[in-house]
Amino acid sequence: MLLQQLSGNLTQGLILGAIYGMATMGLNLIFGVMKIVNVGHGAFIMLGTFVSFAIFTYLGLTPIVAIPLAFIVGFALGSLFFYFIIGKLTNAPELNSLLATFAIGMLIEEVTKFIFGSEWRGFTWDVGRVTLPFTVLPITKIYAFIISILVVIALYLWLRMTRSGTALRAVVEDKEGARVCGINVDRMYALSFSIGIGLTVMSGVILTFFISVGLNPYMGGAYTLRAFVIAVLGGLGSPLGAFFGGVIFGLVENGSYTLLSLIPGIEPFSLTRFVTFFILLIILLVRPTGLLGVK
Amino acid sequence: MISVGKSVNSQQSIVNIKKYFPLLPVYGIYLLLFLIGIIYPEMWSVVTLLAFYCALGQAFNIFLGMTGYVDFGYVAFLGLGAYGMALGIDVSHQTGLNIGIIFIGIILGLLMATLLSLVVGAVALRLRGAYFAIATIGVNEGFRYLIEGAKLWGGSEGLIYFRQLNEAMGREKTNVIVTFWADVFVLVIAAISAFITLYYMRSKIGYALTALREDEDAAKVMGINVTKYKILAFITSASMAGMLGATSWGLKYTHVFPADVFEIHYTVEGIVIILLGGAGTLLGPAAGGLLYGLSKYWLGAMFPGIQLLIFAPIILIIIVAFPEGIVGTMKKKIKGTVLERYIA
Amino acid sequence: MKGRWLFCMALILLFLSAGSFGAGDALAQAPDKIIIGGPISFSGKLAKEGEQGLRGTQAAVKWINEVYGGVKIGGKKVPIEYKYYDDESKRELTTSYIERAITVDKVHAVMSPYSSPLVLAGAPVAEKYGVVYINHGGASDRIHEQGFKYAVQCYVPGSRYHVGALDMFKKLDPKLKRLAFVYEDDEFARSVARGAKAHAEKLGYTIVFDRFYPKGATDLTPILSDLSATKPDIILGGGHFSDTQLLGKQIADLGIDVKAINLVVGPALPAYGETLGKLAEGIMGPAHWERGAKFSPDVAKKTGMKWIGPTQEEYRKLFKDVSKGVEPDYHGASAASGVFALVLSIEDANSIQSDKVRYALGKLKFMSVYGIWDVDDDTGLQIGHSSIDLQWQGGKKVIVWPEEAATAKPCYPRPTIKDIIAGKTCK
């Protein structure tokens, strides 16, 4: 019984973790290249969920259509913010860009509220479910899992196989060196910021495949915190690390519930959060730059 | 203040006093706030808001501004401070100490925050940059969920203690303390933090921290005990936050819920205030607090519902136009003039 | 130097002694208008419920001014004016704006913000100035255990939310025994859970599952798989809107079939059915008010109670006018009832002096579109109002409990998830 529950929770956690990981890659890419912590990260995830919501509810299309659309929206927004704000702050103290991303996040939230109102939105996209011996999986969750993996592979291939991807990695490793080698660092900044935001907005769409309710202009905060922790778990600046960090996070968050529920007199669900953050601290103590982090 | 030895002549002590001239504009602002609130009772509502933001900025600045380390989990110290007040009142309200229980609360808040900062400082300050920032988020969130999950101190139901205050001090006194003196305490904490900031700036600590902020490794090589000063700034800043939490949250709202007091948003607000004003400056947090608080208050009163839509672009414009904050930019402008002596 | 400081200190002391806090004395004469006001959230996490509270207040004020003709005081009828601020769901702004409403706008009564924590934060400010504090947004019992003299409550206290539901289940199927509790881990939901637990034990239920999920949880799968292993007959739970939405969705995702589900807050709001679609089918929830509730001037006359305010359809029209088309839910109705209570008690007291108004509020008992309104004389705790239970049937909300207010029969047991997805409805 217990084992059955544990494996059920771990399966769900694996899927959720893959989505978390996917949702953190954008944050990590931006940090790796520009050393900017995007405090407005959650707002972009929220934007993605609303793209998915609008496509499904207003246009009546399958939310899969929303995936490329969200990437384009995010890419465009990313370029826009880069040229008007972030790009002007590359030489300013690090904290300034942090404040700028905070304000950008706020702007996105408020504009969304202005357009969609403060209503809790949601939709139900049902394409059937698969019953496993230990849990039930709606097919949309399986889609989410597969798409997340595909995105990770695509990003990996881009970073490894293409010219621009290699240039980007060079900037991550050594900015000055890359400049000497003739890489246009500023262009790489713009590219990474736009792609990072694009990936983040896209991940919002994929998130709705797992949880399609509770959409609200202010829903992003919880995801920002999670993304931060996941990014650090995997190692800042390493998009792949982010993915593994996400999987670990999802497994721990869901898996520890079953074990904690054996302890009487406590609230296991709240304590799962404690456990995840505790593990984060332990990992940081052992490896101060995360699991796959480079110094 | 610094004790002046027998052998020190009067000229030196004038130099010593001159060192503290930059406190004048800061204290001027706080005194003015206080007087405005007292003379015009209808302004007290603004003053309370501004006092909180100024104090938050001023206390946080001691660590964030001076070391350049971002502590995202800073709000945990305020939260623990609030719990200190709550527990202090809860435990001692029947002892007949009357107003004394408030001070028990403040001291308890101070102690709890300081204790946490010792632990976090020893462990997390070994990390650098964003890793440190996010490890502190872990501490904050971990603490919140530990309280909720292990049902510490009332768990998620928190503590509510207006009744206990009434029992201990009577209705009239409670009302005045909760709605007036709590805010005065906040101003006092802002003033103390400002003094400490300047004291650090003008002593060896300040130079060490500047070196640390510019280049930590180089500072280490030069033989500066970076860790010691870093932890010192961290603990000072945290204990101020503990007192701030005890008064502005614990005492003022007469209730503590874990989900409310460990809200990361307050850390972000603190960062915004410091950066608007100018990180690492003395006057910056006060200026930033005024700007942030006033904009929020008036925009919220004038354009309820869309004030943040207006506020966000304002922040963006300021950050692009004044990358070093208002006071940071001002300091550059007035370099070499008489004013320089008063702004730090 | 020293002299200057002493002078400053003396100045401060002078101001302190001069700064008196009594604002209510000068207002003893009949004013030419009644001013009410306070902060309410229309940004931040409480924006949705906050907006309802705002529109409800506005609708009630509009009715008083335009239909009722104003508040009768000192032999004449004076209009009400409503001042509001956006507190962004934050404590700092809440207390600050309540103080502003009292000192700058000189309100005669403060309309509370939404949510128990914010109501608690603001209460001491209203106490300090001795201004009546209409708590239309905080359901916690504990607010009114603190000894706030001027606070009166409009919601049914949290501990009574699920009492009606349990009575209903007992009546529907006395053989059922196995209850599962899955509530949000916060002060409000815990008070609901405590009340439900006490009542369930009295009725002889066995509680097979009793766990809480943290505020802001975005995935409830672990707790729900744990719950489903205990094979309950009935699920009681919830807390706020988004988590009940999530419960409805994920109970379906995991295919947990039970005889009945009753969740606090979410199912009472129109958006619940809009977002969950057919998955909302058969889910119940308590509400303080619902369109279709049988409260009308006639009912009031029959029970010998005073009636005030618009009838239900008039109220809905007023509400949709001021909200530009948003459907009213109970958050708005509660705020409206607060306004009506205030109007009646000012008329009863024939004064706007806070102590007299508060005394009259304690004595007052009346019926409006919201239902019966009666608070405890001393604590201000709501004792007259009772909640109703709703159920989603065929994509619509209907009232199923209590029987005398019901607009439809309860759909029991809830169809299985499989049937619901296949399109089976309760009808």
Side-chain angles (χ1 to χ4, degrees):
Chain A
M1 196 68 201
L2 196 69
L3 211 61
Q4 192 183 354
Q5 247 187 62
L6 188 65
S7 38
N9 281 343
L10 287 177
T11 315
Q12 302 271 357
L14 179 72
I15 297 175
L16 192 61
I19 301 173
Y20 282 164
M22 206 253 122
T24 309
M25 287 193 307
L27 181 88
N28 237 347
L29 187 69
I30 294 173
F31 182 86
V33 177
M34 305 178 68
K35 300 284 172 286
I36 287 178
V37 180
N38 181 9
V39 190
H41 185 74
F44 289 103
I45 296 184
M46 177 274 296
L47 198 64
T49 66
F50 271 82
V51 172
S52 179
F53 166 76
I55 290 281
F56 184 81
T57 312
Y58 298 142
L59 301 182
L61 298 172
T62 147
I64 292 182
V65 181
I67 295 175
L69 185 72
F71 183 78
I72 295 167
V73 169
F75 192 91
L77 274 178
S79 322
L80 200 73
F81 284 126
F82 186 85
Y83 281 106
F84 286 104
I85 298 150
I86 303 293
K88 301 201 188 309
L89 294 172
T90 42
N91 294 321
E94 264 179 44
L95 274 174
N96 286 38
S97 47
L98 188 145
L99 178 56
T101 54
F102 166 73
I104 289 173
M106 195 155 108
L107 192 68
I108 301 258
E109 282 174 1
E110 292 305 316
V111 170
T112 312
K113 191 188 90 178
F114 197 74
I115 298 170
F116 289 93
S118 51
E119 201 80 46
W120 291 96
R121 307 274 171 174
F123 60 91
T124 307
W125 177 41
D126 208 312
V127 283
R129 58 212 62 224
V130 177
T131 310
L132 301 175
F134 39 81
T135 192
V136 183
L137 286 179
I139 290 175
T140 52
K141 284 189 185 177
I142 299 172
Y143 285 169
F145 186 67
I146 294 170
I147 295 168
S148 297
I149 304 259
L150 287 179
V151 172
V152 175
I153 294 173
L155 190 75
Y156 181 80
L157 289 179
W158 176 65
L159 282 174
R160 291 280 151 183
M161 303 292 178
T162 65
R163 237 182 111 76
S164 53
T166 317
L168 202 82
R169 278 193 300 132
V171 176
V172 174
E173 254 156 51
D174 185 353
K175 203 187 297 174
E176 291 314 311
R179 206 184 297 257
V180 172
C181 292
I183 293 172
N184 185 343
V185 175
D186 288 326
R187 220 183 121 242
M188 285 298 128
Y189 279 178
L191 188 68
S192 68
F193 194 78
S194 309
I195 290 185
I197 298 293
L199 281 174
T200 308
V201 176
M202 191 165 92
S203 72
V205 177
I206 296 170
L207 186 70
T208 60
F209 292 8
F210 195 93
I211 305 155
S212 59
V213 293
L215 315 184
N216 178 278
Y218 303 105
M219 67 184 275
Y223 293 103
T224 310
L225 282 191
R226 266 190 207 130
F228 282 179
V229 171
I230 290 166
V232 162
L233 266 181
L236 278 165
S238 152
L240 271 187
F243 183 74
F244 292 120
V247 171
I248 292 173
F249 193 91
L251 288 176
V252 173
E253 207 180 57
N254 272 12
S256 62
Y257 178 91
T258 317
L259 301 177
L260 286 168
S261 68
L262 299 175
I263 308 171
I266 55 154
E267 220 39 84
F269 208 158
S270 296
L271 273 187
T272 58
R273 308 303 163 93
F274 170 72
V275 169
T276 38
F277 289 112
F278 191 72
I279 287 179
L280 165 81
L281 289 180
I282 299 290
I283 288 184
L284 279 180
L285 279 184
V286 181
R287 284 190 60 99
T289 49
L291 289 177
L292 294 185
V294 279
K295 214 181 164 189
Chain B
M1 290 252 175
I2 297 169
S3 62
V4 182
K6 260 189 238 162
S7 60
V8 181
N9 59 30
S10 61
Q11 214 172 358
Q12 248 175 324
S13 69
I14 286 174
V15 173
N16 268 337
I17 287 173
K18 269 190 180 167
K19 265 169 51 172
Y20 290 94
F21 274 2
L23 276 178
L24 286 178
V26 180
Y27 282 9
I29 288 176
Y30 293 152
L31 192 65
L32 197 69
L33 271 183
F34 180 68
L35 291 179
I36 288 175
I38 295 293
I39 299 169
Y40 306 103
E42 67 270 23
M43 295 299 282
W44 187 250
S45 62
V46 201
V47 171
T48 61
L49 191 69
L50 297 181
F52 173 71
Y53 286 132
C54 288
L56 178 65
Q58 206 90 58
F60 199 3
N61 189 39
I62 298 177
F63 180 66
L64 178 121
M66 297 189 82
T67 63
Y69 270 64
V70 182
D71 177 0
F72 265 122
Y74 190 67
V75 65
F77 302 123
L78 280 105
L80 265 191
Y83 265 105
M85 177 60 79
L87 294 171
I89 290 171
D90 209 43
V91 169
S92 64
H93 74 278
Q94 279 171 333
T95 51
L97 282 172
N98 210 323
I99 298 181
I101 63 171
I102 305 285
F103 295 97
I104 293 180
I106 294 181
I107 291 167
L108 206 57
L110 176 78
L111 284 180
M112 284 164 68
T114 314
L115 206 66
L116 180 69
S117 74
L118 278 170
V119 178
V120 178
V123 177
L125 271 177
R126 299 186 347 186
L127 303 168
R128 294 273 186 94
Y131 289 95
F132 169 77
I134 288 157
T136 55
I137 294 186
V139 172
N140 181 63
E141 297 294 294
F143 222 91
R144 176 193 151 185
Y145 288 114
L146 183 66
I147 290 177
E148 291 191 355
K151 299 185 185 164
L152 280 177
W153 304 329
S156 63
E157 288 184 275
L159 299 160
I160 309 178
Y161 42 90
F162 188 81
R163 190 171 48 82
Q164 280 89 324
L165 280 172
N166 267 347
E167 281 167 18
M169 310 189 296
R171 183 172 287 277
E172 287 303 308
K173 236 186 252 170
T174 305
N175 282 344
V176 175
I177 285 182
V178 166
T179 55
F180 175 76
W181 285 103
D183 298 311
V184 176
F185 283 139
V186 171
L187 270 178
V188 171
I189 291 164
I192 298 175
S193 306
F195 177 77
I196 295 176
T197 309
L198 193 64
Y199 176 70
Y200 281 4
M201 272 180 169
R202 295 290 191 251
S203 67
K204 218 172 108 189
I205 307 164
Y207 297 114
L209 291 181
T210 311
L212 157 78
R213 197 173 47 193
E214 301 294 327
D215 188 340
E216 184 161 351
D217 293 317
K220 251 185 201 159
V221 172
M222 277 159 61
I224 298 172
N225 189 345
V226 179
T227 319
K228 182 175 125 194
Y229 293 117
K230 209 157 64 173
I231 290 184
L232 182 69
F234 187 65
I235 292 173
T236 321
S237 182
S239 48
M240 288 299 127
M243 290 209 285
L244 182 61
T247 53
S248 73
W249 290 356
L251 190 55
K252 188 169 173 184
Y253 301 127
T254 65
H255 69 270
V256 186
F257 293 134
D260 289 350
V261 296
F262 293 108
E263 176 100 64
I264 294 275
H265 188 84
Y266 288 103
T267 310
V268 180
E269 275 188 321
I271 298 174
V272 173
I273 289 165
I274 292 174
L275 288 189
L276 285 181
T281 63
L282 174 68
L283 187 59
L290 289 187
L291 180 73
Y292 186 76
L294 280 175
S295 328
K296 278 218 127 159
Y297 184 87
W298 289 114
L299 290 174
M302 300 289 168
F303 311 100
I306 53 165
Q307 76 274 37
L308 293 176
L309 197 59
I310 303 170
F311 193 39
I314 295 180
I315 297 183
L316 285 173
I317 291 168
I318 292 180
I319 205 72
V320 174
F322 305 102
E324 281 164 63
I326 300 166
V327 175
T329 313
M330 197 164 89
K331 261 174 88 177
K332 268 192 184 158
K333 284 256 163 69
I334 58 165
K335 213 161 200 170
T337 66
V338 200
L339 279 173
E340 194 184 0
R341 200 183 296 163
Y342 297 95
I343 307 290
Chain C
M1 206 62 191
K2 228 177 201 170
R4 206 189 297 169
W5 281 115
L6 276 177
F7 176 72
C8 281
M9 289 304 281
L11 209 66
I12 292 167
L13 281 176
L14 192 78
F15 283 128
L16 271 182
S17 52
S20 80
F21 296 112
D25 318 332
L27 304 166
Q29 262 88 44
D32 51 6
K33 62 183 172 193
I34 305 283
I35 310 169
I36 59 172
I40 192 100
S41 317
F42 16 105
S43 338
K45 53 182 190 256
L46 306 171
K48 164 86 194 80
E49 295 88 342
E51 195 200 350
Q52 279 282 336
L54 167 77
R55 303 305 178 197
T57 314
Q58 284 176 328
V61 168
K62 197 170 172 201
W63 186 84
I64 293 287
N65 289 342
E66 289 172 11
V67 182
Y68 193 62
V71 188
K72 199 157 72 191
I73 178 170
K76 57 176 179 174
K77 286 198 158 191
V78 297
I80 303 186
E81 192 182 320
Y82 175 42
K83 296 262 191 188
Y84 58 89
Y85 303 98
D86 180 6
D87 62 34
E88 296 175 21
S89 318
K90 291 213 186 76
R91 285 166 289 166
E92 282 70 31
L93 290 167
T94 297
T95 50
S96 187
Y97 284 138
I98 288 181
E99 194 147 11
R100 180 182 164 90
I102 295 170
T103 55
V104 178
D105 303 325
K106 311 265 186 242
V107 295
H108 300 114
V110 173
M111 297 301 288
S112 79
Y114 173 75
S115 90
S116 297
L118 293 186
V119 171
L120 265 172
V125 184
E127 283 303 290
K128 167 168 117 179
Y129 292 100
V131 178
V132 169
Y133 190 53
I134 305 284
N135 165 18
H136 64 81
S140 167
D141 299 53
R142 290 206 284 168
I143 299 169
H144 295 272
E145 287 165 9
Q146 300 301 315
F148 294 121
K149 247 168 47 186
Y150 297 96
V152 292
Q153 191 176 35
C154 298
Y155 283 159
V156 176
S159 57
R160 283 182 21 226
Y161 269 58
H162 264 154
V163 168
L166 285 165
D167 289 335
M168 166 171 61
F169 296 138
K170 194 80 207 165
K171 178 131 197 231
L172 283 174
D173 193 347
K175 292 192 298 290
L176 284 189
K177 279 277 169 287
R178 302 175 72 80
L179 273 185
F181 283 3
V182 51
Y183 288 96
E184 190 178 32
D185 199 1
D186 81 338
E187 202 265 335
F188 161 70
R190 273 188 183 267
S191 74
V192 178
R194 209 176 306 115
K197 199 172 187 175
H199 198 66
E201 275 160 9
K202 217 160 55 190
L203 294 179
Y205 283 106
T206 336
I207 296 159
V208 294
F209 185 81
D210 183 11
R211 293 246 196 259
F212 296 77
Y213 51 86
K215 222 173 170 170
T218 47
D219 175 30
L220 302 174
T221 331
I223 199 167
L224 287 177
S225 5
D226 196 8
L227 175 147
S228 99
T230 61
K231 306 247 176 304
D233 297 320
I234 299 168
I235 297 176
L236 291 184
H240 285 91
F241 186 72
S242 60
D243 54 308
T244 34
Q245 225 179 358
L246 200 56
L247 275 174
K249 174 84 168 70
Q250 297 200 317
I251 284 175
D253 280 354
L254 292 172
I256 302 172
D257 283 316
V258 289
K259 299 252 170 58
I261 303 173
N262 192 309
L263 308 173
V264 283
V265 176
L269 308 187
Y272 198 73
E274 283 162 27
T275 53
L276 283 181
K278 50 192 177 188
L279 297 185
E281 194 65 21
I283 294 181
M284 305 183 198
H288 302 299
W289 172 82
E290 176 55 29
R291 196 175 152 219
K294 289 174 177 159
F295 297 112
S296 65
D298 295 336
V299 177
K301 207 182 269 169
K302 245 182 258 164
T303 49
M305 232 177 291
K306 199 187 262 177
W307 170 271
I308 186 174
T311 63
Q312 199 168 118
E313 283 313 303
E314 287 165 2
Y315 170 73
R316 177 162 172 256
K317 199 172 159 297
L318 274 169
F319 188 96
K320 287 182 85 165
D321 272 358
V322 293
S323 68
K324 296 182 188 75
V326 178
E327 278 290 337
D329 65 42
Y330 74 73
H331 300 101
S334 159
S337 82
V339 175
F340 297 139
L342 188 69
V343 169
L344 286 179
S345 57
I346 289 175
E347 292 183 343
D348 287 349
N350 197 22
S351 162
I352 38 139
Q353 234 210 347
S354 298
D355 289 303
K356 288 184 185 160
V357 175
R358 174 64 185 82
Y359 180 79
L361 278 167
K363 294 283 162 237
L364 183 69
K365 184 173 185 180
F366 72 101
M367 189 187 275
S368 67
V369 63
Y370 180 62
I372 302 166
W373 196 100
D374 183 19
V375 295
D376 183 79
D377 292 9
D378 295 323
T379 60
L381 193 77
Q382 181 63 243
I383 48 174
H385 196 70
S386 54
S387 53
I388 48 179
D389 276 277
L390 310 172
Q391 186 175 34
W392 284 88
Q393 292 184 3
K396 285 210 173 59
K397 264 185 302 178
V398 292
I399 302 171
V400 293
W401 191 265
E403 278 165 333
E404 57 273 19
T407 53
K409 277 208 150 30
C411 165
Y412 176 89
R414 187 186 188 220
T416 60
I417 306 282
K418 220 180 198 166
D419 288 348
I420 288 173
I421 287 166
K424 190 177 173 203
T425 63
C426 282
K427 290 202 162 162

